[in-house]
Amino acid sequence: MSLSTGRKAEIIKSYATKAGDTGSPEVQVAILSERINTLTDHFKTHVKDNHSRRGLLKMVSQRRQLLDYLKRTDEKRYKTLIEKLGIRR
């Protein structure tokens, strides 16, 4: 369910705004999106896994809060991130 260290490092490298950046909203949203996508695939086979579904809903909510913050502070970064990740909005 969680991301491997190598995959997480790839995501951080591709979405980081500067060297050593792990806390920017872009990186956080990208990591959450990857975890959400893997959990969504998990639910296609494990339909009755309601405990993990609750975690998925919490992650979706957290991603939404980060995206709202990014939209409020810098609309250009928000739009490029949405396009890059392919998130509907």
Side-chain angles (χ1 to χ4, degrees):
M1 299 261 184
S2 63
L3 294 175
S4 66
T5 309
R7 179 66 184 137
K8 195 172 190 178
E10 288 175 17
I11 294 170
I12 290 171
K13 186 178 178 183
S14 62
Y15 288 95
T17 56
K18 59 183 178 186
D21 180 19
T22 57
S24 69
E26 289 92 345
V27 173
Q28 291 181 42
V29 168
I31 291 172
L32 281 171
S33 295
E34 183 71 22
R35 290 184 66 200
I36 288 168
N37 291 337
T38 57
L39 266 178
T40 304
D41 293 338
H42 168 79
F43 289 129
K44 291 179 182 171
T45 56
H46 303 91
V47 179
K48 294 186 178 183
D49 189 1
N50 291 319
H51 294 290
S52 296
R53 194 174 308 276
R54 181 174 185 265
L56 172 72
L57 292 175
K58 288 175 75 171
M59 282 189 265
V60 169
S61 175
Q62 186 177 7
R63 181 177 73 175
R64 180 78 261 145
Q65 288 176 354
L66 286 167
L67 285 170
D68 287 343
Y69 164 76
L70 195 58
K71 186 175 184 178
R72 217 175 33 245
T73 56
D74 193 351
E75 183 113 14
K76 183 181 175 192
R77 284 171 51 194
Y78 169 79
K79 288 189 188 253
T80 56
L81 182 63
I82 292 292
E83 290 173 9
K84 197 171 182 182
L85 287 174
I87 298 174
R88 293 180 294 144
R89 185 62 184 145

